[in-house]
Amino acid sequence: MTALSVSKVFNPNAGWYRGDFHAHTTASWDGHHPPAGLAEVARAGGLDFFAVTDHNTIAAFDELAGVEAALGIPGLEVTTRLGHMNVFGMTGKCDWMAGLLGNEEWETLPAPHTGINALVRRIAAQGLVSSINHPLLTPWAWQFNEVEWQYITALEIWNDPSFPINATVNPQTVALWTALLNAGRRITALGGSDYHRPAPHAWEGDKPAEQLNRPTTFVYADNLSVAAVLKAVKEHRVYVSMGAEVDLTARAEGQTTGIGGEIARPDAEITLQATISAGPAPAEAHLIHNGQTIARQPIAATPAAFGYTLPPSTGNAGWIRLDVVSAAGHILAITNPIFIGPAKTPAVQTCGDILAAIRDW
Ligand SMILES: [Zn+2]
Ligand SMILES: [Zn+2]
């Protein structure tokens, strides 16, 4: 039997790859496709990779190892009544899974776990990627207030748009992430369709179908392999798309960097170049600097590109990202930032710190 490998290369070229970081197989009670079927759905949806994130089980891993239609990212959705968290990159059972497997939803963290920080610390120490899922989506919102951000890699800012309440919850989650960035926390934004099945359950009424690839998460990876995709996630070379394909570069004093990179000199003049290579039009592109919209560019048709220059200022330090919004005001793309200047000491330590601020909005 083939074993799962994080280093198996599906495509040797560096570039932007399309994927989905959140999907369920038949190993979850509510999943419809086995891994091979999910891979076919991924490929039909134009994806290069898809993550398998079943509820407290890695039972799909053996079959995932033999899948060829698209790159399968092995993951697990740690599923509790206090919140859901994806973990990516392990190839089999790990010591931190002790007690966690075999139940679709735990009331709280099961024994032998003595605390959520002990768990996320072990996950981080093994080099794995963690992502807090749908953190504001009641009743599956994140309630582990004590979790320290230093152990968390990513936040799922855009979850299953077929779920009606996500029309308001996803933008709130983007605001939560923006507040984290402003507090100096370099958490990677990911998207996840949370795909379970091609058609809604009977009890879901006329809810639209879930779609693997909505949203699509684009990752600039050194090659198409599990290891390279997850390295890119750790390095913020990621954007989340609901239909637009974009890029953003920054130049300052001879240095050029892209999404996820860092401009070393925070006080230099910074020349930005935004590209919207595909997607619905008309639309509007927004440059967001430390949470403020500093430029709005109408996009009459794609492809389109525009430039913007931040004059030299010590106030440039922080981050900048590109959002693309449809004529109706819906998000079409959100990039991870280009960071400006060295990382500062973060102003928030725990999830509770930032969630309390959100509740006050
Ligand atoms: Zn979930
Ligand atoms: Zn899920």
Side-chain angles (χ1 to χ4, degrees), residues 54-113:
D54 287 309
H55 299 295
N56 300 332
T57 176
I58 57 168
F61 277 22
D62 281 347
E63 189 184 330
L64 184 63
V67 158
E68 296 286 345
L71 171 67
I73 307 280
L76 171 71
E77 186 169 22
V78 175
T79 306
T80 79
R81 291 250 170 122
L82 297 173
H84 297 182
M85 177 181 69
N86 279 343
V87 182
F88 303 108
M90 57 284 179
T91 54
K93 191 171 178 187
C94 304
D95 57 359
W96 57 265
M97 293 177 192
L100 267 175
L101 303 181
N103 185 330
E104 288 284 346
E105 184 188 58
W106 297 102
E107 285 290 329
T108 182
L109 213 52
H113 298 283

Side-chain angles (χ1 to χ4, degrees), residues 22 77 84 133-134 194:
H22 193 161
E77 186 169 22
H84 297 182
N133 294 339
H134 45 69
D194 214 345

Side-chain angles (χ1 to χ4, degrees), residues 245-321:
E245 294 177 33
V246 303
D247 207 349
L248 181 66
T249 59
R251 257 185 316 116
E253 299 198 333
Q255 184 200 355
T256 301
T257 195
I259 292 168
E262 181 182 273
I263 289 290
R265 279 283 304 276
D267 53 349
E269 177 180 272
I270 300 170
T271 305
L272 298 153
Q273 181 73 18
T275 309
I276 298 86
S277 50
E284 196 169 73
H286 298 171
L287 287 173
I288 316 281
H289 179 219
N290 296 342
Q292 303 296 319
T293 303
I294 55 167
R296 293 172 184 271
Q297 177 73 25
I299 305 298
T302 55
F306 67 99
Y308 185 86
T309 299
L310 273 173
S313 162
T314 53
N316 287 346
W319 56 273
I320 192 150
R321 74 168 198 247

Side-chain angles (χ1 to χ4, degrees), residues 88-291:
F88 303 108
M90 57 284 179
T91 54
K93 191 171 178 187
C94 304
D95 57 359
W96 57 265
M97 293 177 192
L100 267 175
L101 303 181
N103 185 330
E104 288 284 346
E105 184 188 58
W106 297 102
E107 285 290 329
T108 182
L109 213 52
H113 298 283
T114 50
I116 186 82
N117 276 311
L119 174 63
V120 292
R121 191 186 306 122
R122 286 167 83 186
I123 290 167
Q126 291 179 12
L128 304 174
V129 163
S130 58
S131 176
I132 295 176
N133 294 339
H134 45 69
L136 301 177
L137 179 62
T138 306
W140 306 286
W142 189 253
Q143 297 164 69
F144 286 110
N145 286 332
E146 68 274 31
V147 163
E148 294 179 32
W149 287 109
Q150 63 173 314
Y151 304 121
I152 302 296
T153 319
L155 191 68
E156 186 184 73
I157 61 159
W158 213 262
N159 175 263
D160 177 10
S162 78
F163 203 64
I165 195 176
N166 270 336
T168 50
V169 171
N170 282 332
Q172 288 170 353
T173 309
V174 173
L176 170 76
W177 176 61
T178 300
L180 273 173
L181 294 172
N182 280 343
R185 281 286 168 202
R186 295 185 173 185
I187 300 289
T188 300
L190 294 181
S193 69
D194 214 345
Y195 180 84
H196 295 80
R197 64 191 85 84
H201 283 302
W203 68 78
E204 292 180 306
D206 57 1
K207 175 187 167 299
E210 297 169 351
Q211 195 178 317
L212 192 72
N213 83 2
R214 272 181 75 79
T216 295
T217 304
F218 285 72
V219 169
Y220 192 93
D222 299 335
N223 58 59
L224 183 60
S225 65
V226 174
V229 166
L230 295 180
K231 177 169 180 277
V233 169
K234 290 178 183 175
E235 295 176 357
H236 320 102
R237 286 184 269 126
V238 175
Y239 71 89
V240 180
S241 174
M242 285 290 289
E245 294 177 33
V246 303
D247 207 349
L248 181 66
T249 59
R251 257 185 316 116
E253 299 198 333
Q255 184 200 355
T256 301
T257 195
I259 292 168
E262 181 182 273
I263 289 290
R265 279 283 304 276
D267 53 349
E269 177 180 272
I270 300 170
T271 305
L272 298 153
Q273 181 73 18
T275 309
I276 298 86
S277 50
E284 196 169 73
H286 298 171
L287 287 173
I288 316 281
H289 179 219
N290 296 342

